[in-house]
Amino acid sequence: MDNNRLRYLLSRHFDKTLIPEEQAELSHFLNDPEQDAHLELLIEEAWIRSSESDDAVFGESGLQPPVPGEVHKGPVRRMYFLRWAAAVLLLIAAGTTWMLINRQQLHDDKNKMNDPEPGSNKAVLTLGDGASITLDSSLKGRLAMQGNVQLSARPGVLSYSNNTAGAAGTVIYNTLTTPKGGQYQLQLPDGSKVWLNAASSLKYPTAFTGKERRVVLTGEAYFEIAANSAQPFFVTVNNADIAVLGTSFNVMAYRNEITMATTLLEGAVKVSRDNESGILKPGEQLLMKEGEKIRINHHADTEQAIAWKNGFTSFKGADIRTIMRQVERWYDVEVVYSGDVPARSFTGDIPRDAHLSELLKILEVSRIKFKLEGRRLTVMP
């Protein structure tokens, strides 16, 4: 198949105008291992062409951002990053968003066995008496009682009954912990919802009975807080406090990240640390670094901040080490570096259900190499 024919078929594919005969022709080409050399040549051409364009980031990042002005969410956004690095789609037309084709034969069976799978819904719930319950996508039904509060599960979600009568006596605390390669959703007894990212934990009471509602976070979580002006909600994270009335926001505060970021989507929050504080409006992001003053980004990329919650690994202007920290948390691998890795920035998304090899294939186009041995990933120049 010549390049013009390939461009034509790819264009019709994403316009959803391919007739069955054309779809079969395109599928045969992309799934034919003998065409890999041809694809690699086209990928290299795309890399060179885009690196010469001021508007393209592919040459520096290995990824092409969405078309300006377009909003891509859920299934629509997903089509732009659907599997293997068929970056040849950049050849369709200048400025086209980079779309990825699903290649069912990316690896042989042996390679698939050594290819770390993405994370999934899994967590450990620690009850007030220290007992623990392992949670995953298959768990459902009643789990336990904590005081007069009932715990139940449905796939990927842990919920607490709404305790309108209050809870007398000692307050019982539970902790939900996600491992590397895990995520989980929690519905608190007041109806607030929390999405917990990988390698994170949330400590909370099984009933909110005092003058305030307070939880303690490590790692990253997205919150949708039930409004209750008589009982304000607080998130304690690292050495900061986030005061909430009723709102939706994301907190990223991993210990191995330089910056703690609180991103507000709806409502209002106040973030305080020592003698500093900042109040956020929707669309703003508060950034906090050790030893530096609090600063606010008034034009935050809120979609990118919660991309993980919506099923994407997302990065914008990120260096390889920043991306690899996400890789470590989501794919549960150990990342080491060999030699001087190029200082390049990367922008783009890939579905969180993609295998590790699919993400690495994208990054390799920008001249960074990887070697995977078991769960040890070496990054090389």
Side-chain angles (χ1 to χ4, degrees), residues 195-200 217-223 235 237-238 240 242 249-264 271 280 285-289 304-308 314 322 325-326 329 352:
W195 285 257
L196 205 58
N197 203 352
S200 303
L217 171 70
T218 63
E220 182 170 18
Y222 172 76
F223 295 84
V235 179
V237 52
N238 294 348
I242 301 172
F249 62 101
N250 191 83
V251 181
M252 192 283 290
Y254 288 107
R255 293 289 186 180
N256 64 347
E257 297 288 353
I258 297 174
T259 303
M260 169 182 158
T262 302
T263 309
L264 183 66
V271 184
L280 291 180
Q285 182 181 66
L286 186 142
L287 302 170
M288 187 181 295
K289 289 184 179 180
Q304 192 218 356
I306 64 169
W308 68 269
S314 180
T322 299
R325 288 195 293 273
Q326 289 193 50
R329 291 191 289 263
R352 277 170 53 111

Side-chain angles (χ1 to χ4, degrees), residues 1 10 25 27 59 70 79 85 110 124 215 239 252 297 299 304-305 322 344 346 361 365 371 377 380:
M1 183 186 302
L10 290 170
E25 182 182 0
S27 297
E70 292 186 9
M79 69 176 287
K110 181 179 178 181
V124 174
V215 300
N239 59 344
M252 192 283 290
N297 175 7
H299 304 284
Q304 192 218 356
T322 299
R344 296 191 178 120
F346 297 76
K361 196 69 177 180
V365 178
K371 181 171 68 174
L377 177 64
M380 302 172 291

Side-chain angles (χ1 to χ4, degrees), residues 163-275:
N163 181 26
T164 56
T170 304
V171 175
I172 300 174
Y173 284 91
N174 285 182
T175 301
L176 184 65
T177 304
T178 54
K180 289 183 178 181
Q183 63 181 14
Y184 221 79
Q185 184 179 341
L186 169 68
Q187 181 170 312
L188 293 168
D190 66 340
S192 296
K193 297 178 181 178
V194 184
W195 285 257
L196 205 58
N197 203 352
S200 303
S201 71
L202 190 76
K203 182 179 180 181
Y204 51 90
T206 58
F208 296 110
T209 60
K211 295 181 179 180
E212 66 180 30
R213 297 169 289 169
R214 184 177 292 272
V215 300
V216 179
L217 171 70
T218 63
E220 182 170 18
Y222 172 76
F223 295 84
E224 290 183 354
I225 303 303
N228 183 352
S229 59
Q231 198 179 35
F233 197 101
F234 292 87
V235 179
T236 299
V237 52
N238 294 348
N239 59 344
D241 261 351
I242 301 172
V244 185
L245 287 177
T247 189
S248 301
F249 62 101
N250 191 83
V251 181
M252 192 283 290
Y254 288 107
R255 293 289 186 180
N256 64 347
E257 297 288 353
I258 297 174
T259 303
M260 169 182 158
T262 302
T263 309
L264 183 66
L265 282 78
E266 297 178 2
V269 298
K270 180 180 180 180
V271 184
S272 303
R273 179 187 64 180
D274 299 330
N275 297 321

Side-chain angles (χ1 to χ4, degrees), residues 12 17-24:
R12 285 177 62 83
T17 57
L18 275 178
I19 62 175
E21 292 79 5
E22 292 172 333
Q23 181 66 61

